[in-house]
Amino acid sequence: MLLPTSQPTDAAETQGIPTVNGLRGALAAHASAALSGIGRPLEESGLRVQVYRNLHKGLWSVRGKGRVIAHRPLIILKDCVMRVQESERQRVIREGQRNVHAWVTGVPCWETDGNDLVEIGYNPYFAPTFTSRPGYEAVTSARFVVFSQEGKAYAAV
């Protein structure tokens, strides 16, 4: 992907990222903005999003304004609320077919404010809410949630 430029291009490849007259950083920023689907990186958009685990892709799906706008291996949200649709949870229990009925809502950000993170998870067969690990206490909100590359979520409650 090359950015439009009025200068001649030197199409040198540097670690798999095309360089256009030293615009390697601009290309990376442009690619990052394209991933968000809203013209700038998610972390700078201020958009409230929903994040859930995409089991097919092995990534975190980011849904904003009613549709998936990005897939990320790692994302951090602030001012989070955990949501579970109880009717869909009951359907999962009844039919045994998984579907998206639980997510964390929050605002994407670059970092957390501390080290007091606890692992959280969700199992529709075990509890109707997100729970902390290993104590399995209900978690309904958090200051920050870190969605890691390993597929686990950690919350600052």
Side-chain angles (χ1 to χ4, degrees), residues 84-102:
V84 176
Q85 292 180 327
E86 183 60 28
S87 61
E88 289 297 310
R89 176 180 170 266
Q90 292 301 323
R91 185 170 137 191
V92 168
I93 292 169
R94 184 176 61 250
E95 297 176 4
Q97 180 69 39
R98 294 191 269 189
N99 61 33
V100 178
H101 67 274

Side-chain angles (χ1 to χ4, degrees), residues 1-2 16 51 55 59 64 73-74 76 87 90-91 97 102 107 129:
M1 170 173 63
L2 298 176
V51 175
L55 300 174
L59 298 170
L74 170 77
I76 301 172
S87 61
Q90 292 301 323
R91 185 170 137 191
Q97 180 69 39
V107 179
T129 62

Side-chain angles (χ1 to χ4, degrees), residues 8-145:
T9 62
D10 59 352
E13 288 282 332
T14 306
Q15 298 175 356
I17 299 173
T19 303
V20 179
N21 288 339
L23 293 178
R24 181 173 175 220
L27 288 170
H30 185 70
S32 173
L35 285 177
S36 70
I38 53 177
R40 57 184 166 170
L42 280 174
E43 290 78 6
E44 296 174 6
S45 70
L47 178 67
R48 196 155 185 81
V49 297
Q50 301 168 343
V51 175
Y52 60 91
R53 187 71 177 165
N54 186 314
L55 300 174
H56 298 287
K57 293 181 182 287
L59 298 170
W60 299 101
S61 289
V62 182
R63 188 165 51 192
K65 297 184 180 180
R67 61 184 223 186
V68 175
I69 57 175
H71 291 98
R72 296 269 183 93
L74 170 77
I75 189 167
I76 301 172
L77 297 182
K78 65 180 177 179
D79 303 327
C80 302
V81 178
M82 287 65 168
R83 302 280 188 206
V84 176
Q85 292 180 327
E86 183 60 28
S87 61
E88 289 297 310
R89 176 180 170 266
Q90 292 301 323
R91 185 170 137 191
V92 168
I93 292 169
R94 184 176 61 250
E95 297 176 4
Q97 180 69 39
R98 294 191 269 189
N99 61 33
V100 178
H101 67 274
W103 56 82
V104 178
T105 302
V107 179
C109 64
W110 296 107
E111 59 189 10
T112 66
D113 67 349
N115 297 330
D116 57 340
L117 298 175
V118 296
E119 184 179 343
I120 62 170
Y122 173 72
N123 183 339
Y125 301 101
F126 181 75
T129 62
F130 283 81
T131 56
S132 64
R133 305 293 159 61
Y136 292 96
E137 296 176 16
V139 178
T140 57
S141 64
R143 292 188 324 272
F144 291 93
V145 176

